């Protein structure tokens, strides 16, 4: 058994888990954070993307024990004070989802994209950055539109915060 | 996934000690290959020894043209290191095109070369850059390190600590990615190391295509030493007999692709 301690969405959590427990299992089954999805379980689809120490990772391909000591953010950790995160808002406004299964991973990847590359994202960049996220419904068009819009709003927020 | 024990190595000596003490240990770096393999139950190590908490083992140092990359440097770290980008942009660009952003955030150069997947990108660069692979026990040249499909010269308990090379005068990597997996169907790294006018030093490493894994294309090197231009490769033949053949591409297709990618790499290297 492994003793894991980490911060999940700002809260410290500690638990004893089997060493082979995947981070996604720990989040979904251990913490009831079922917003993080398992689409493929073979590291392909990106439905399970969460942030570990600020970096987007596939939580189906990481052990909970590997994340011990880290700060983890899941889709549940994005919205604050009852208001949606700008990227979530953008997906709603631009019809960036149909069944919604891929959406948590898409949004976590999109936020990571903005954090890394800044709020000005052109279409080609967004599409190539989505290499690791698969959607079976939308045809990606509106996802790309949502991310561009969400990035723009996040940019305004960053500017405001800097002022 | 079968049951396993997870531990973190504190330093290099601790890693080797833990590996020796275990029944059937595996080193764990990014886990981007090892964990999927364990889930499929193709690997069942009794112990996983995490190398990524060894202090400084992900360091990237560049001093003039001398480059050292720690084994646990992630693909994202290699892709975005400003100093490396200045002296060897071809390697930065190679790293930036491995898999997807999430894979690049976890996967490491040490894990990639230790795994020696015939479709992995880094091995071709190691050959073309004439890199030295530094393990916890010895140093060896890339050509000696890569032995065959998924096979390296690494012995039991031995692990990759860092790789080092002298940045080439110019170089480029051209890859035809499998559209689904992003792994190379054929990837060619061409490096021009200068040398003399009479005897220019060119090295060519090829991945993705051969049944024996990554290889050095000496005939292409010779042709390019005479004339460093894409058309110089027209006279080279790539032996179909040695090429991989699968649902993604026949041996003939891959043999042709190798040449096309080699030409693109030469054109990009300029
Ligand atoms: C969706 C997806 C797409 C990918 N696309 C590409 C691609 O386009 N191109 C490409 O090249 N790769 C690709 N990969 C593979 C990726 O680059 C892996 O990160 C890499 O092959 C293994 O590195 P790792 O650090 O994750 O190693 P791990 O998975 O941790 O380990 C791999 C193997 O190496 C051993 N090992 C690890 N570190 C060391 C060390 N320092 N010394 C000795 N042995 C060690 C382990 O025991 C294991 O056997 C992809 C992977 C995924 C999941
Ligand atoms: S569930 Fe993790 S990548 Fe698909
Ligand atoms: S909205 Fe259904 S998978 Fe993307």
């Amino acid at each position: 058994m492994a003793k894991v301690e980490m911060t999940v969405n700002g809260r410290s959590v500690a638990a004893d888990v089997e060493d082979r427990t995947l981070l996604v299992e720990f989040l979904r089954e251990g913490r009831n954070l079922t917003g993080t999805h398992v689409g493929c379980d073979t590291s392909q689809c990106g439905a399970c993307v969460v942030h570990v120490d600020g970096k987007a990772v596939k939580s189906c391909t990481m052990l909970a024990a590997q994340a011990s000591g880290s700060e983890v953010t899941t889709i549940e950790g994005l919205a604050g004070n009852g208001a949606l995160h700008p990227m979530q808002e953008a997906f709603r406004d631009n019809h960036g989802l149909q069944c919604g299964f891929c959406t948590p991973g898409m949004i976590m990847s999109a936020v990571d994209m903005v954090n890394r590359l800044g709020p000005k994202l052109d279409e080609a960049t967004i599409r190539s950055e989505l290499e690791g996220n698969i959607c079976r419904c939308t045809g990606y068009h509106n996802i790309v539109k949502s991310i561009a819009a969400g990035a723009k709003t996040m940019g305004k927020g960053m500017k405001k915060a800097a002022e | 996934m079968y049951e396993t024990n997870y531990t973190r190595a504190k330093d290099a000596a601790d890693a080797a000690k833990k590996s020796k003490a275990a029944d059937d240990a595996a080193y764990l770096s990014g886990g981007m290959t090892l964990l999927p393999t364990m889930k499929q139950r193709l690997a069942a190590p009794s112990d996983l020894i995490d190398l990524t908490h060894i202090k400084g083992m992900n360091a990237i140092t560049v001093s003039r043209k001398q480059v050292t990359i720690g084994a646990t440097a992630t693909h994202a770290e290699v892709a975005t290191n400003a100093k490396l980008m200045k002296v060897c942009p071809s390697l930065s660009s190679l790293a930036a095109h491995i898999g997807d952003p999430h894979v690049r955030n976890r996967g490491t150069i040490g894990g990639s070369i230790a795994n020696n997947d015939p479709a992995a990108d880094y091995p071709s660069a190691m050959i073309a850059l004439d890199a030295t692979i530094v393990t916890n026990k010895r140093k060896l040249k890339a050509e000696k390190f890569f032995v065959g499909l998924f096979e390296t010269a690494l012995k039991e308990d031995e692990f990759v600590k860092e790789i080092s090379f002298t940045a080439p005068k110019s170089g480029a990597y051209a890859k035809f990615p499998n559209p689904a997996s992003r792994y190379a169907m054929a990837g060619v790294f061409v490096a021009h190391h200068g040398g003399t006018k009479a005897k220019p030093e060119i090295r060519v490493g090829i991945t993705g295509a051969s049944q024996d894994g990554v290889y050095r294309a000496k005939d292409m090197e010779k042709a390019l030493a005479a004339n460093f231009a894409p058309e110089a490769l027209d006279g080279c033949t790539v032996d179909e007999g040695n090429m991989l053949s699968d649902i993604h591409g026949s041996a003939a297709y891959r043999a042709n692709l190798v040449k096309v990618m080699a030409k693109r790499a030469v054109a990009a290297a300029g």
Side-chain angles (χ1 to χ4, degrees):
Chain A
M1 294 292 269
K3 186 163 183 61
V4 299
E5 293 177 347
M6 62 183 94
T7 309
V8 179
N9 299 332
R11 253 200 224 166
S12 0
V13 301
D16 288 312
V17 299
E18 274 194 316
D19 294 34
R20 63 176 157 180
T21 307
L22 299 170
L23 178 58
V24 71
E25 293 168 345
F26 178 72
L27 294 170
R28 288 180 56 86
E29 288 155 35
R31 308 303 311 163
N32 271 330
L33 293 168
T34 53
T36 303
H37 292 165
V38 177
C40 65
D41 203 20
T42 57
S43 327
Q44 308 289 325
C45 75
C48 64
V49 169
V50 301
H51 296 181
V52 174
D53 296 327
K55 293 191 179 116
V57 306
K58 289 173 172 169
S59 62
C60 75
T61 316
M62 184 170 186
L63 300 174
Q66 282 176 288
S68 190
S70 292
E71 280 193 26
V72 178
T73 308
T74 70
I75 188 73
E76 289 92 343
L78 280 190
N81 299 328
L84 288 181
H85 183 280
M87 195 56 80
Q88 293 174 307
E89 194 78 55
F91 269 69
R92 186 170 70 179
D93 291 347
N94 292 279
H95 194 49
L97 58 143
Q98 287 179 21
C99 81
F101 197 84
C102 69
T103 315
M106 288 288 177
I107 291 179
M108 296 312 284
S109 302
V111 172
D112 173 69
M113 216 184 283
V114 179
N115 290 343
R116 267 184 303 122
L117 305 172
K120 278 192 199 132
L121 297 171
D122 59 34
E123 186 183 334
T125 305
I126 297 173
R127 285 186 187 273
S128 78
E129 286 287 322
L130 283 181
E131 201 63 76
N133 294 80
I134 295 174
C135 174
R136 299 297 301 265
C137 305
T138 63
Y140 301 97
H141 242 61
N142 286 351
I143 292 179
V144 175
K145 234 165 87 185
S146 305
I147 294 177
K152 222 168 155 186
T153 320
M154 278 176 74
K156 280 184 200 145
M158 287 173 190
K159 227 166 130 194
K160 240 193 207 145
E163 277 162 15
Chain B
M1 191 185 296
Y2 291 106
E3 239 178 89
T4 189
N5 298 305
Y6 168 90
T7 48
R8 290 178 182 179
K10 287 193 285 287
D11 51 44
D14 185 43
K17 198 173 101 197
K18 287 195 157 105
S19 172
K20 252 192 209 119
D23 268 351
D24 176 21
Y27 291 117
L28 176 67
S29 289
M32 292 295 107
T33 295
L34 186 52
L35 293 177
T37 319
M38 288 174 69
K39 284 193 199 175
Q40 291 172 309
R41 299 197 162 192
L42 295 171
S46 64
D47 292 79
L48 292 174
I49 298 156
D50 190 340
L51 299 176
T52 62
H53 295 268
I54 298 178
K55 258 212 171 108
M57 208 163 94
N58 67 337
I60 301 176
T61 56
V62 179
S63 138
R64 289 174 194 270
K65 298 224 124 193
Q66 206 48 46
V67 178
T68 304
I69 304 178
T72 55
T74 62
H75 308 331
E77 284 163 351
V78 173
T80 56
N81 185 281
K83 283 186 180 157
L84 181 66
M85 213 176 291
K86 257 202 180 131
V87 298
C88 193
S90 45
L91 192 66
S92 317
S93 154
L94 176 151
H97 291 94
I98 295 177
D100 59 54
H102 325 308
V103 169
R104 294 194 287 274
N105 275 339
R106 299 284 311 156
T108 68
I109 188 166
S112 176
I113 64 169
N115 195 49
N116 196 15
D117 189 311
D121 297 306
Y122 271 129
S124 66
M126 297 300 101
I127 297 273
L129 296 170
D130 199 17
T132 301
I133 317 292
V134 183
T135 77
N136 56 325
K137 295 194 171 137
R138 56 190 165 141
K139 293 181 179 185
L140 64 174
K141 282 287 178 191
E143 265 177 281
K144 288 258 159 62
F145 179 83
F146 299 112
V147 174
L149 288 195
F150 297 104
E151 220 187 307
T152 67
L154 286 174
K155 301 235 167 65
E156 226 163 288
D157 308 321
E158 190 175 13
F159 61 89
V160 180
K161 268 175 80 176
E162 62 187 34
I163 63 109
S164 64
F165 61 91
T166 310
K169 212 177 94 206
S170 70
Y173 179 62
K175 160 184 181 178
F176 190 90
N178 175 316
S181 77
R182 314 313 293 170
Y183 273 99
M185 301 260 305
V188 181
F189 202 112
V190 173
H192 194 314
H193 293 273
T196 60
K197 221 177 187 153
K199 216 172 163 228
E201 265 176 58
I202 319 283
R203 290 179 68 98
V204 179
I206 298 182
T207 192
S210 165
Q211 286 181 6
D212 304 321
V214 66
Y215 70 99
R216 184 175 168 199
K218 289 195 181 157
D219 57 329
M220 290 190 181
E221 292 175 2
K222 217 169 142 193
L224 292 170
N227 175 20
F228 196 72
E231 60 274 16
L233 297 174
D234 283 334
C236 298
T237 46
V238 180
D239 185 3
E240 272 179 40
N242 289 337
M243 293 289 117
L244 290 163
S245 194
D246 55 29
I247 54 163
H248 307 299
S250 66
Y253 179 79
R254 276 203 171 79
N256 186 56
L257 207 52
V258 164
K259 214 154 135 177
V260 175
M261 289 304 116
K263 285 184 171 185
R264 283 192 194 167
V266 175

